[in-house]
Amino acid sequence: MPQNGPLPPGMVPQGPPSGSMMAMQQQQPYQQQYPPQQQYGQQFGQQQPQQYGQQQYQQPAANYGAAGMQGMPGMVPVMNGMDEHTSAKRVKSEGNQQLLGKNTGTSLLECFDMNQIRVHLEQIQQAAQQTNTASQLPVNPGDDCKVCGLTKLTFEPPCIYCIQCGQRIKRGQIYHCTVPEPGCDFRGFWCHSCLSEHKGDKIPWEGNQLGHVRKADLTKKKNDDEIEEGWVQCDACESWIHQICGLFNKGKNDQNVHYLCPSCLVAGLMNGQREITTVRPQAMLEAKDLPHNNLSRLLEQRMYQKLEEDRYMRAAAVGCNASDMPIPEGLTIRVINNVIKKCEVKPKFYEAFRGDGFAEAFIYRQRVIILFQKLDGVDVALYCMYVQEYGAECAPPNRNVVYLSYIDSVKYFRPEMASATGISLRTFVYHQILQGYLLFVKQLGFETMYIWACPPLAGDDYILYCHPSKQKTPRSDRLRAWYHDMLKKARQEDGSVVHVSTLWDTFFEGGRDHRLEKCSVTQIPYLEGDYWPGEAENLLTQISEAQRNAAAGGNTALGRKAGGNKGKRYGSGPATTDEALLTRLAEILGGNMKEDFMVVHLQEPCSFCRKHVQGAPLFKYIPNGVTGNLINKPIQERRFEGIRLESPGPNVPNGPLQHLQICEECYGVEYGRITSGLKSRLPGNLNLGDLARVDIPPQQVQKDLDPDMGSEFFETRQAFLSLCQGNHYQFDSMRRAKHSSMMVLYHLHNPEAPAFSSTCNFCHVEIEPGTGMRCTVCSDFDMCKNCHAQGMRHEHPMVVSSAAVFCSLVLCVSSAGYSALAAVLLCRVRAVLQLPKVSVFSSLTAAWTADIVRRLGQA
């Protein structure tokens, strides 16, 4: 196995969480990733041999298996003073030619025919010719990978985050970190800007008993660590290739299992010694072997139907047969996570509004939808989205609300061509998935979907780790336009969308769709991971401080801004917490970000009470209609109860009113107000006679019959991103995207297999989870129990791997308010120590933490 420690190499926690992020550092791999002539002499302090021969090793290379991974499995160098029994040997009983007839399940290429293997080799070699540099070219003959012809290929540097600002420290940036302490992996990281801005010689840090760390004790570093791709040796021809080039499944690595390189697989097929694997083993199952459910079946059938329709339209446009037009092939859609979760209200918000009956938590269903496309025989993950569904049983304001939490894709879709409507086929397919999902949730009775159109920062990833360099990160306006194009088609083609607004226009004074007399922040849906709940928590801290200052007679600038009369709407006196918070949120959400927060109505909403109407009449204003005298009727500015409805600003529509409709109940209330002599709440100079009655047909709500479907690796998007970072499952090239997708499918089909693995640095044997020893000083040095029992020694103290995990876990989960980050770590710890699964990570409790600590102690 690769020389990884018991904890995964990616995003290993090095310090307690602070703010909304946890400082992470990737462990440095044990530097044994070259073929033997490059590395072994250096590794053991010997002079590097000019040539490697059988005299340098206990047995010839042909006598050892394929456990190579990163380094030389089986081929253990004889060091001065080392007894023969300290080196692990793997002796084959068959000759090289006999191995050509075996399928061992270690490489996906065993399922390929000769043509597919040759295409695989040609594509990698062509890509290598375009990207190779001097550092990647072989120095000595035989040092190169026999597939790509290159040597040193490196992964992305460790993912580490500043513990103060929470921003990722990117490649090449300077940062400062604490010195690792023996037995504990927690470290603190500060970007150069945060450290420079901090005054004083001490920085607060919860990673030690003092609660702070001296600036002088921090180490200055540059994030330029290089982690090389692993190697594997062919048991037949003894050549070395990169694991990724050979589509090697490290999850199936075993000392008694052989590995054949692509060339030997082709040779076995040509001479008739081996046959293609037709019945795939569990480790090689495809995307189509993942279980279907109603949603995935609906989305997949709709996608293929729409693609066929588009094919005929493209053929008609150019005057040819539809069969002559290319069409995307090998597409597979699956729902890989369908579980019940809980959105817990943040403490300050709940404390401020619990008296108003605001719920302490909201139960929702999370679904994770992923799209694969079979490219050159490999199912490649192209598109993934996380959604949250707050059903009819959920408390207001989250009732019947859907939240599009995250969406991500990589640009490998084929063919790269335009659809009949002019957009790319890639965009066409992604839109169809979203449109199909909108139609699905509407049929389940959901009324609104909320979308936060927020592109990631350059270099950051939402779900899929490391995007290709050719894929540009869209600007906010481009991403909004992408969503609006999809919503427009959903309205025209499916009727699933009836109205699109923004969060600011719907819930804040001056908004286009705001018609309520009394505004309250408790009317805005409180969604897991959304922007405004986190911002509200920060604002409540400022508001409470301002209110304390005001009560004490202070007159600070903060008090004037957060607790003064600016947020007041009724009567006199200072603003309430609700009013002050709503005002401050309006300033933020009504600025440059206003259009990023979309409100998609799936049912007809009432403009006054915001209730959605089904099976009842609705009284609508119809622009350019025939009812009354509504043709371009001018809007007059008016106020009611101190609220200015049509205030000047970018939020006010230019021209006539475009959207106003009220339900039957509000129509009756308005009629009563007018007959009793009160002022009408209708905007401008409209009256009730100007509204046309439209009967909204009832909708038959369907029942969701899809069973729960858990996937620990997709429990949160952080958990999946952590899995990819820890195992270097990158998508920055087609070569890596194929291997990463192959391993993702392996984990999905084999959920009990260890997610992260480690290898003994002495005998190179894979260590059973939770049974090895780990160095307390070196970043990644491990020893199996057998070598430990045989008296093998290391220059630094070694501890049981589970004890190292214990140190990291206790500090992490004991920090209140970081259940999502704790869930990511627990996902890893469970894989390492083989602990039982839990169904809801996000609802981490003290009792569950105590149980984990107890189990770790036993381990």
Side-chain angles (χ1 to χ4, degrees):
M1 296 299 293
Q3 302 297 329
N4 301 335
L7 283 176
M11 289 181 66
V12 174
Q14 302 287 340
S18 176
S20 61
M21 300 296 296
M22 176 188 295
M24 300 289 192
Q25 182 187 34
Q26 183 165 1
Q27 297 184 5
Q28 294 300 311
Y30 187 64
Q31 297 298 321
Q32 190 176 353
Q33 301 180 352
Y34 293 101
Q37 64 270 35
Q38 286 186 286
Q39 189 72 23
Y40 262 70
Q42 299 174 4
Q43 177 62 49
F44 290 91
Q46 300 175 348
Q47 183 177 2
Q48 182 176 353
Q50 297 298 320
Q51 296 181 1
Y52 67 97
Q54 297 180 7
Q55 70 273 14
Q56 295 289 335
Y57 303 95
Q58 292 183 342
Q59 294 193 16
N63 291 338
Y64 297 93
M69 304 297 289
Q70 295 176 347
M72 280 287 291
M75 299 177 62
V76 181
V78 179
M79 297 181 289
N80 295 331
M82 179 181 287
D83 295 334
E84 185 177 352
H85 73 274
T86 60
S87 300
K89 303 179 183 179
R90 296 181 54 196
V91 182
K92 304 174 191 173
S93 58
E94 302 95 347
N96 287 6
Q97 294 301 315
Q98 291 177 323
L99 293 177
L100 295 180
K102 287 198 168 187
N103 290 323
T104 60
T106 55
S107 172
L108 188 64
L109 294 177
E110 294 177 4
C111 301
F112 286 22
D113 57 29
M114 286 189 293
N115 182 60
Q116 288 177 312
I117 296 177
R118 286 168 178 162
V119 170
H120 173 76
L121 297 176
E122 290 173 1
Q123 290 184 345
I124 290 181
Q125 291 163 3
Q126 290 174 2
Q129 293 174 0
Q130 298 173 1
T131 60
N132 60 33
T133 62
S135 62
Q136 297 170 338
L137 297 176
V139 178
N140 301 314
D143 287 0
D144 60 336
C145 168
K146 299 309 176 185
V147 174
C148 67
L150 305 178
T151 55
K152 183 179 178 181
L153 298 177
T154 58
F155 291 113
E156 277 292 298
C159 292
I160 52 179
Y161 295 85
C162 175
I163 202 171
Q164 184 165 331
C165 66
Q167 297 297 317
R168 179 180 175 181
I169 300 173
K170 300 178 182 178
R171 180 194 290 268
Q173 289 185 335
I174 300 296
Y175 67 94
H176 304 262
C177 63
T178 57
V179 179
E181 298 181 2
C184 183
D185 290 319
F186 266 105
R187 299 178 67 185
F189 296 87
W190 290 265
C191 65
H192 187 68
S193 300
C194 288
L195 189 72
S196 302
E197 294 173 358
H198 188 83
K199 298 179 180 180
D201 60 345
K202 296 180 180 179
I203 301 178
W205 184 49
E206 300 176 1
N208 56 24
Q209 296 180 350
L210 299 176
H212 65 266
V213 62
R214 296 176 63 246
K215 280 187 177 181
D217 295 336
L218 298 179
T219 303
K220 183 178 180 180
K221 289 188 175 183
K222 187 177 182 180
N223 190 17
D224 57 358
D225 296 332
E226 292 188 346
I227 302 174
E228 297 182 33
E229 288 188 9
W231 295 76
V232 62
Q233 187 187 27
C234 176
D235 284 305
C237 68
E238 303 175 14
S239 61
W240 287 85
I241 62 175
H242 294 114
Q243 298 171 20
I244 295 178
C245 291
L247 289 180
F248 179 79
N249 185 345
K250 64 181 182 180
K252 296 299 294 180
N253 182 43
D254 186 87
Q255 291 197 27
N256 299 317
V257 175
H258 301 286
Y259 171 76
L260 296 179
C261 68
S263 299
C264 290
L265 290 175
V266 171
L269 290 175
M270 291 182 65
N271 59 28
Q273 286 184 265
R274 63 175 293 268
E275 296 180 355
I276 301 172
T277 300
T278 54
V279 179
R280 296 196 176 213
Q282 188 72 16
M284 294 184 178
L285 295 180
E286 302 174 276
K288 66 181 182 181
D289 297 319
L290 292 170
H292 249 314
N293 64 9
N294 292 327
L295 175 57
S296 63
R297 204 171 284 110
L298 181 148
L299 295 179
E300 194 171 275
Q301 291 174 356
R302 174 194 174 91
M303 175 186 64
Y304 277 112
Q305 177 185 347
K306 295 296 182 179
L307 282 173
E308 193 65 25
E309 293 175 2
D310 180 80
R311 184 183 193 179
Y312 277 92
M313 292 173 63
R314 285 186 284 122
V318 297
C320 68
N321 294 326
S323 58
D324 298 330
M325 300 299 295
I327 189 172
E329 297 178 346
L331 298 173
T332 302
I333 298 177
R334 289 295 185 271
V335 177
I336 54 177
N337 189 260
N338 181 23
V339 295
I340 298 296
K341 304 191 74 174
K342 182 192 296 185
C343 170
E344 297 180 352
V345 179
K346 297 182 184 298
K348 293 186 183 299
F349 193 92
Y350 179 66
E351 184 65 27
F353 299 103
R354 60 187 302 181
D356 298 334
F358 201 80
E360 185 178 6
F362 300 95
I363 302 298
Y364 67 92
R365 177 172 293 279
Q366 173 182 275
R367 300 185 203 258
V368 182
I369 302 168
I370 189 166
L371 169 70
F372 293 91
Q373 185 177 24
K374 188 173 290 295
L375 302 176
D376 309 315
V378 182
D379 288 308
V380 180
L382 300 180
Y383 173 92
C384 184
M385 72 177 188
Y386 280 73
V387 292
Q388 303 170 13
E389 300 171 3
Y390 299 80
E393 70 285 351
C394 189
N398 286 21
R399 183 170 295 161
N400 289 328
V401 166
V402 177
Y403 181 47
L404 181 57
S405 181
Y406 286 98
I407 187 171
D408 200 1
S409 67
V410 287
K411 196 174 182 180
Y412 295 120
F413 188 91
R414 296 180 187 170
E416 293 189 48
M417 59 181 301
S419 65
T421 57
I423 63 174
S424 67
L425 275 178
R426 170 174 173 257
T427 297
F428 178 85
V429 169
Y430 297 167
H431 278 180
Q432 288 302 325
I433 294 175
L434 277 169
Q435 289 178 238
Y437 177 74
L438 283 169
L439 188 60
F440 174 78
V441 294
K442 180 172 183 175
Q443 293 171 348
L444 294 182
F446 289 93
E447 297 171 344
T448 52
M449 171 184 273
Y450 288 78
I451 301 174
W452 177 15
C454 177
L457 298 176
D460 287 347
D461 304 289
Y462 279 157
I463 304 175
L464 303 172
Y465 179 48
C466 282
H467 289 61
S469 57
K470 67 178 182 179
Q471 183 174 348
K472 297 180 180 179
T473 301
R475 302 189 308 269
S476 293
D477 56 341
R478 293 292 301 272
L479 184 58
R480 289 197 305 268
W482 190 90
Y483 278 117
H484 281 296
D485 290 342
M486 180 273 298
L487 295 172
K488 182 179 179 181
K489 290 192 296 182
R491 180 173 185 172
Q492 295 174 348
E493 298 175 6
D494 309 315
S496 56
V497 175
V498 298
H499 181 58
V500 179
S501 185
T502 67
L503 197 70
W504 192 87
D505 283 331
T506 304
F507 295 100
F508 294 93
E509 296 180 15
R512 291 186 180 99
D513 298 327
H514 175 72
R515 295 290 181 267
L516 288 182
E517 294 188 33
K518 181 173 176 55
C519 308
S520 175
V521 72
T522 60
Q523 298 166 351
I524 308 175
Y526 196 98
L527 308 171
E528 181 72 33
D530 199 6
Y531 173 80
W532 82 263
E535 191 65 27
E537 200 75 358
N538 298 330
L539 294 176
L540 283 171
T541 302
Q542 302 175 15
I543 291 172
S544 61
E545 181 180 347
Q547 290 174 342
R548 285 194 301 269
N549 292 336
N555 190 26
T556 63
L558 180 62
R560 292 192 300 271
K561 185 173 184 181
N565 292 327
K566 187 174 182 180
K568 192 197 96 49
R569 294 169 298 164
Y570 307 107
S572 58
T576 64
T577 299
D578 190 0
E579 295 168 350
L581 178 59
L582 198 67
T583 299
R584 296 292 302 277
L585 282 175
E587 294 174 358
I588 298 172
L589 300 179
N592 296 332
M593 301 172 62
K594 182 182 67 173
E595 302 296 332
D596 294 342
F597 301 94
M598 305 179 189
V599 181
V600 182
H601 293 277
L602 308 180
Q603 312 289 349
E604 293 286 357
C606 174
S607 300
F608 278 9
C609 65
R610 298 199 188 109
K611 294 180 181 178
H612 291 83
V613 178
Q614 293 184 48
L618 196 63
F619 297 86
K620 281 189 173 186
Y621 164 70
I622 304 177
N624 300 324
V626 297
T627 303
N629 53 350
L630 293 182
I631 299 180
N632 290 331
K633 195 166 187 177
I635 303 296
Q636 296 180 358
E637 179 184 317
R638 63 176 296 273
R639 302 165 182 258
F640 67 92
E641 302 293 341
I643 301 178
R644 187 176 184 180
L645 291 177
E646 315 297 346
S647 59
N651 62 296
V652 177
N654 296 322
L657 182 68
Q658 295 296 316
H659 185 269
L660 186 136
Q661 55 190 28
I662 59 177
C663 63
E664 188 175 24
E665 181 179 353
C666 290
Y667 186 90
V669 172
E670 190 66 17
Y671 179 80
R673 287 173 58 90
I674 294 174
T675 55
S676 61
L678 296 178
K679 199 169 186 178
S680 173
R681 295 181 299 175
L682 292 173
N685 57 351
L686 296 182
N687 54 61
L688 290 178
D690 296 328
L691 303 181
R693 175 182 172 127
V694 178
D695 291 324
I696 305 300
Q699 175 183 322
Q700 185 176 0
V701 177
Q702 299 181 5
K703 187 177 181 180
D704 183 12
L705 300 178
D706 286 341
D708 288 355
M709 183 185 303
S711 173
E712 181 180 333
F713 308 116
F714 285 88
E715 187 73 21
T716 65
R717 67 103 186 175
Q718 296 99 329
F720 178 67
L721 191 59
S722 170
L723 173 75
C724 292
Q725 290 171 334
N727 289 291
H728 307 294
Y729 297 157
Q730 299 182 188
F731 290 82
D732 53 345
S733 67
M734 175 63 80
R735 168 180 164 274
R736 285 176 172 170
K738 289 180 178 179
H739 182 266
S740 299
S741 300
M742 179 194 74
M743 293 308 301
V744 168
L745 283 171
Y746 169 75
H747 289 301
L748 287 173
H749 287 296
N750 302 268
E752 299 302 325
F756 305 94
S757 56
S758 58
T759 307
C760 178
N761 288 78
F762 290 101
C763 67
H764 313 292
V765 173
E766 182 179 347
I767 299 175
E768 255 183 71
T771 63
M773 306 289 291
R774 187 160 182 244
C775 179
T776 59
V777 178
C778 298
S779 59
D780 190 10
F781 194 95
D782 302 282
M783 182 195 307
C784 69
K785 60 182 180 181
N786 292 333
C787 288
H788 178 69
Q790 292 172 5
M792 299 295 294
R793 293 293 178 263
H794 180 55
E795 59 180 328
H796 301 137
M798 304 283 288
V799 297
V800 178
S801 59
S802 58
V805 176
F806 171 79
C807 296
S808 300
L809 177 69
V810 172
L811 287 176
C812 180
V813 299
S814 62
S815 300
Y818 299 99
S819 59
L821 291 175
V824 177
L825 182 58
L826 291 175
C827 174
R828 294 180 171 184
V829 172
R830 198 211 66 79
V832 173
L833 300 185
Q834 296 182 337
L835 298 173
K837 295 182 180 180
V838 291
S839 57
V840 182
F841 276 110
S842 59
S843 58
L844 193 64
T845 62
W848 205 92
T849 304
D851 183 59
I852 288 294
V853 172
R854 177 181 59 80
R855 292 177 182 274
L856 284 169
Q858 294 174 351

